Amino acid sequence: MLNSKDKEIITAAIRDIHDFPEPGIVFKDITTLLNDADAYATLMEHLYKRYCDYNLDYIAGIDARGFIFGSALAQMLHLGFVPIRKKGKLPHHTLSESYDLEYGSDAVEIHADAFRGKKNAKVLLIDDLIATGGTAEAAVRLINKSQGECVEACFILGLDFLDGQKKIQQLTNIYTLIGID
Ligand code: AMP
């Protein structure tokens, strides 16, 4: 678990932007964490310590901010990184999972050969934030559909007033570093 000093350092480095991208939303801006070398290192060292004994095979990150933390962690753990992208971005054969939005639906995709044919590859999923959990739920399903086994889903931030985290708990372990009331 994150100790209170590290939690304070990471929390203080994330900026709230009110009414972005639309009125009423408080957008959690992680760019101010990324350009703060000490806070970024505090976060990544915490993640490294948590996951170094998990015997993972791959880290999968969700488009786009999950790529930043996921690929940095993959390098620290000497693991391969797999991007889960928004529909239509990946160039080779893909598997796709759609999820509901407030109006309509969207989809995320993974390369069908992302885990290089390794059966039951142990995969950690990572993203910056879980809100309704729609994107993460589709991502977990995609990993499991492409012969991987999603052993945990990790989020830096979780919006506790939405039920996204409960949704993911039904599919895999979930680890949220900082809950937002
Ligand atoms: P959801 O599918 O509702 O859980 O939304 C999660 C995705 O939307 C993540 O990739 C987040 O980066 C992004 N997101 C949702 N709400 C916010 C927010 N308040 N601040 C920053 N990013 C958000």
Side-chain angles (χ1 to χ4, degrees):
M1 281 294 151
L2 195 59
N3 68 44
S4 55
K5 182 169 156 269
D6 289 353
K7 185 175 180 178
E8 175 55 39
I9 291 170
I10 295 165
T11 306
I14 296 170
R15 171 165 69 180
D16 283 356
I17 306 290
H18 291 263
D19 300 317
F20 182 87
E22 46 189 78
I25 304 287
V26 180
F27 190 87
K28 306 302 275 188
D29 177 17
I30 51 95
T31 64
T32 44
L33 167 73
L34 297 173
N35 67 14
D36 177 338
D38 290 337
Y40 191 18
T42 300
L43 170 69
M44 295 313 303
E45 279 157 24
H46 173 74
L47 292 175
Y48 175 79
K49 280 192 204 130
R50 179 175 176 86
Y51 290 111
C52 63
D53 295 328
Y54 265 59
N55 289 317
L56 296 166
D57 294 308
Y58 290 95
I59 306 235
I62 299 179
D63 202 343
R65 278 158 284 166
F67 295 174
I68 301 168
F69 303 110
S71 55
L73 183 61
Q75 267 294 294
M76 291 170 90
L77 293 167
H78 197 75
L79 295 172
F81 175 77
V82 170
I84 292 182
R85 298 219 59 185
K86 302 270 167 61
K87 190 173 53 187
K89 299 288 185 185
L90 288 170
H92 198 52
H93 302 302
T94 55
L95 300 171
S96 184
E97 272 284 328
S98 52
Y99 56 96
D100 291 334
L101 297 171
E102 200 174 349
Y103 300 103
S105 69
D106 211 338
V108 283
E109 295 182 340
I110 194 169
H111 272 146
D113 59 359
F115 304 126
R116 295 180 163 264
K118 184 171 173 58
K119 287 218 165 63
N120 303 320
K122 289 174 78 176
V123 182
L124 171 73
L125 176 68
I126 190 161
D127 201 3
D128 65 331
L129 181 145
I130 179 160
T132 65
T135 324
E137 184 180 14
V140 173
R141 289 192 195 286
L142 262 190
I143 291 167
N144 295 340
K145 212 165 156 177
S146 39
Q147 297 196 318
E149 178 198 352
C150 182
V151 294
E152 189 156 287
C154 172
F155 306 92
I156 316 304
L157 300 167
L159 304 187
D160 291 343
F161 52 89
L162 298 174
D163 57 9
Q165 294 170 88
K166 283 192 207 119
K167 206 185 278 180
I168 301 305
Q169 260 164 20
Q170 289 162 21
L171 297 174
T172 186
N173 293 329
I174 177 165
Y175 178 56
T176 304
L177 277 74
I178 298 163
I180 315 265
D181 303 326

